[in-house]
Amino acid sequence: MEETPPRPQQQPQPAHASPPFPTAPFTPPPRVFTPAAARGTPSPASGPGPGPAHLSTPPGPPVFSSPLRPAAVPFRTTPASPHPSPFAAGYPSSSSSSVTTASLLTSSAPHFLNGAFTPQGDLATAPPPRPLQGDGLDSPYVQFSAHKVLKQKKLLNAPSLGFGALVSPGREVSPGPEVVERDARRCLNCGAYVNMYCDVMVDSGQWQCVICKKLNGSEGEFRVSSKQDLLQWPELASTTVDYVQVGNRRPGFVPVTDSRVSGPIFILIDECLDEANLQHLQGSLHAFVDSLPPMAKIGIITYGRTVSVYDFSEGAAVSADVLPGNKSPTSESLKALIYGTGVYMSPIHASLPVAHTIFSSLRPYQLSVPEVSRDRCIGAAVEVALGIIQGPSVELARGIIKRSGGNCRILVCAGGPSTFGPGSVPHSVQHPNYAYLEKTAMKWMESLGHEAQRHSTVVDILCAGTCPVRVPVLQPLAKCSGGVLLLHDDFGEAFGVNLQRAATRAAGSHGLFEIRCSDTMLVTQVIGPGEEASPDSHESFKRDSSFCIQMHSVEETQSFSVSMETKSDIKNDFAYFQFAVRYSNIYQAEITRVITMRLQTVDGLSAYLASVQEDVASVIIGKRTVLRARTASDASDMKLSIDERVKDIAFKFGSQAPKSKLYRFPKELASLPECLFHLKRGPLLGSIVGHEDERSVLRNLFLNASFDLSLRMMAPRCIMHREGGTFEELPAYDLAMQSNAAVGAELAAQEGQSAAALAACRTLAEELSEQRFPAPRILSFKEGSSQARYFVSRLIPAHKDPTYEQESRFPQLRTLTPERRARLKSSFINFDDHSFCEWMRSLKLVPPEPS
């Protein structure tokens, strides 16, 4: 089961209001627990939109005789960075119904000739015809809330259930999509891309656009003798195609193929740390630079009242140039650094000993000033790092940007808030003008984040310790640059792992995401890591009704939640959807990924409901709900909105129980209310995470997270260790904690067996989360301990249900003796929360039948 217990106590702070396009590239869910049951999470996948996947807590009884899997392989504390090829990496999706871990596949290095990609084999040989694919409903990039579209406008547009898709345009899979090294053919009327569903006239080569139905020419290219011959064009045979242009921005650029890191990394270190925190941070920094590949370039800056930029040219001596932190660096001061004799960015192979010497030379804060009152010039430090990364390009006219061979990263290691210089707030929230100064600081940080994004630089802010960091001020800087803000208890192991994963995660830049649908369909809302693109930022066509989003970064762990409606009743047999993302990958190749899908339209409500993908629908509803939970008060309102949503779905799509005023939830959507019940009780809206800063950070991560990760953050997953080193997934109900299972107190006395079970659980949790960013903190504890309350509080309190309902969901309870059953019931903590069945009845609904 995954959960995120609270960080050490902090002072309450106002939550940062998330804009319509929340950010947070990748999203660590709640922390992983490994006590009674092994809790884990599948590797992150794609996001928005109802889609298939029964990963957690079905309402029916657990299947205790299900096939068992062997214990997980040993975990690598610092997993080797995967080496993706520039066009097709290898993240297989994890199984949605088991705890099998998705192993990372790597592909061979791509073939480049003077910076140009050349596929292996004979370039002149035409590819063999491929069998025509279906409607692409198993696409790894797009998951719809339903596999069919209801023709009736009134029901399809019902806001309580809604229709939409989760789209992960930057996801890498193996094998990857077809690669085409030429420009794409597009409809001259609406801008849609030619695709496998277009009607092509073989005698003339003309093709009809599926979006606007207009005819387009192909200069005779598609003129062939038969329809079968059209399959030699990948775009006419596959739902997903990558159009690749290499080296057009940097002619001669040769990519680094042995690492994900092709741009420089600047590490910004807080100088205001006490000794204990500094010692932990030094250990994490030493391990971090040791984990980087030899060709990775790094820079090191410390900040307090001043900004110190460390010079790698001095060898064994530690030397730094110091700039004032009370104002933005001037162009003259940046020129002095850039054109001076100092070396401020250096490859690891040449500067590793110097980096270790710099980290070892750091000293704890010496003055007797409380942590929260110390001066930290975070904004000025980021500006200096950004100026050095840009280099001589700071002299160029505005709008001319020097590309630096891949995304650059600024990693801020922060122990407190920005309280000095540009983008700062007063030390105390009691300052009479704090609200105004905070708003001003947020706008300044947002502007700095956009500036970083324009220069292909991602800013990740990793915070730790007990000092409040003023999340609303720092969040815009991370969000607008395409980075994330993370909170940690300390600068220890979890912080160090996230530092490594932040630096090595592959990311594309300058992303533009376009959504086109059939004329009857309308995009009503998009939630994800970007913002609506300005009209002059993309190409426009005569009748282009596309929804266009500017992406801050393009990463495989992100997803967009796309909500759609129909403008009128649908007359056609199919609805078409095209998603296209254009971006520069880490090798500076220009990628245009085009995903085209079609869904059958149906008249019958039962056929539509049978096609609904409950988990995907739950995640889309969850993202729409959490988007509006900007403050603690909003979150309370959103919990009430879940009640109204579930009732409305039952009234519109369900039926009234015979001889009763209660309504039955549609059996096709039986697991949907349970997932929303978990959302209502969990850390995103509930009070399990004790500080508003933590809830704000979690919400931002959730709004941009992949589908698998989003589902885990909404609905926990409970995995039980079985004797013999095997595991079994259970519903997240407290009655799953049987006294004779590996989660029960009766096994605590058997030290050897208990230790072996704990080791296996921890190994599985580590394995399941080893590719996740941010990395979760894994906790282990004994049943009945204070920490165990975090685990138990995320389980549905089924012990409060009547006996007949308990036994209908857990028939094995009938085999327990009265004494054992009484002992099991007395082991649960009594609190006021409803059980799932009690909640459904309070809404005047019949609880779904166990499956």
Side-chain angles (χ1 to χ4, degrees), residues 186-195 197-199 207-216 514-521 543-547 564 567 572 574-579 594-598:
R186 304 184 66 176
C187 176
L188 299 179
N189 182 56
C190 72
Y193 293 79
V194 68
N195 58 82
Y197 303 114
C198 292
D199 187 11
W207 57 278
Q208 185 181 40
C209 176
V210 297
I211 302 297
C212 68
K213 306 303 181 185
K214 298 293 183 181
L215 280 177
N216 293 271
E514 299 174 318
I515 306 169
R516 291 180 173 84
C517 311
S518 296
D519 281 346
T520 52
M521 302 301 298
R543 283 192 56 228
D544 192 352
S545 59
S546 65
F547 198 96
M564 292 176 260
K567 301 174 189 175
N572 299 320
F574 293 97
Y576 295 90
F577 307 88
Q578 189 170 84
F579 308 94
V594 180
I595 307 156
T596 310
M597 303 178 71
R598 73 175 183 184

Side-chain angles (χ1 to χ4, degrees), residues 91-125:
Y91 285 97
S93 60
S94 59
S95 165
S96 62
S97 59
S98 73
V99 294
T100 303
T101 304
S103 60
L104 186 70
L105 303 181
T106 58
S107 51
S108 58
H111 289 251
F112 285 86
L113 183 60
N114 295 325
F117 171 74
T118 56
Q120 300 183 32
D122 186 356
L123 295 179
T125 305

Side-chain angles (χ1 to χ4, degrees), residues 380-393:
V382 172
E383 285 188 295
V384 171
L386 195 56
I388 296 173
I389 287 173
Q390 293 174 26
S393 66

Side-chain angles (χ1 to χ4, degrees), residues 167 180 201 214 238 333 388 549 587 600 617 641 651 824:
V167 186
V180 178
M201 302 174 187
K214 298 293 183 181
S238 176
S333 61
I388 296 173
I549 300 151
Y587 302 95
Q600 183 183 358
S641 77
F651 295 158
L824 174 65

Side-chain angles (χ1 to χ4, degrees), residues 585-599:
N585 71 357
I586 59 173
Y587 302 95
Q588 294 301 284
E590 296 295 317
I591 308 292
T592 300
R593 174 167 293 171
V594 180
I595 307 156
T596 310
M597 303 178 71
R598 73 175 183 184
L599 299 181

Side-chain angles (χ1 to χ4, degrees), residues 266-273 277-282 284-286 288-289 298-310 312 355-363 375-378 381-382 385 410-416 460 462 491 495 499:
F266 248 110
I267 309 166
L268 274 55
I269 304 168
D270 190 343
E271 285 183 348
C272 303
L273 302 180
N277 280 331
L278 180 60
Q279 287 179 357
H280 278 126
L281 177 58
Q282 285 173 315
S284 294
L285 291 172
H286 285 305
F288 169 67
V289 292
I298 65 165
I300 300 173
I301 288 176
T302 59
Y303 64 88
R305 285 185 63 85
T306 58
V307 180
S308 301
V309 188
Y310 283 86
F312 290 100
H356 283 304
T357 302
I358 293 171
F359 297 147
S360 298
S361 71
L362 300 176
R363 292 294 177 263
D375 291 332
R376 297 175 172 89
C377 57
I378 296 177
V382 172
I410 295 176
L411 304 177
V412 181
C413 304
D460 292 320
L462 286 74
F491 289 97
F495 182 94
L499 198 62

Side-chain angles (χ1 to χ4, degrees), residues 441-480:
M442 288 167 60
K443 286 185 176 179
W444 190 89
M445 288 292 191
E446 182 178 350
S447 175
L448 181 59
H450 282 301
E451 179 68 15
Q453 191 267 339
R454 281 193 292 271
H455 291 275
S456 305
T457 301
V458 174
V459 182
D460 292 320
I461 305 174
L462 286 74
C463 309
T466 57
C467 182
V469 296
R470 312 288 184 240
V471 165
V473 175
L474 296 181
Q475 188 76 272
L477 170 58
K479 181 183 81 70
C480 294

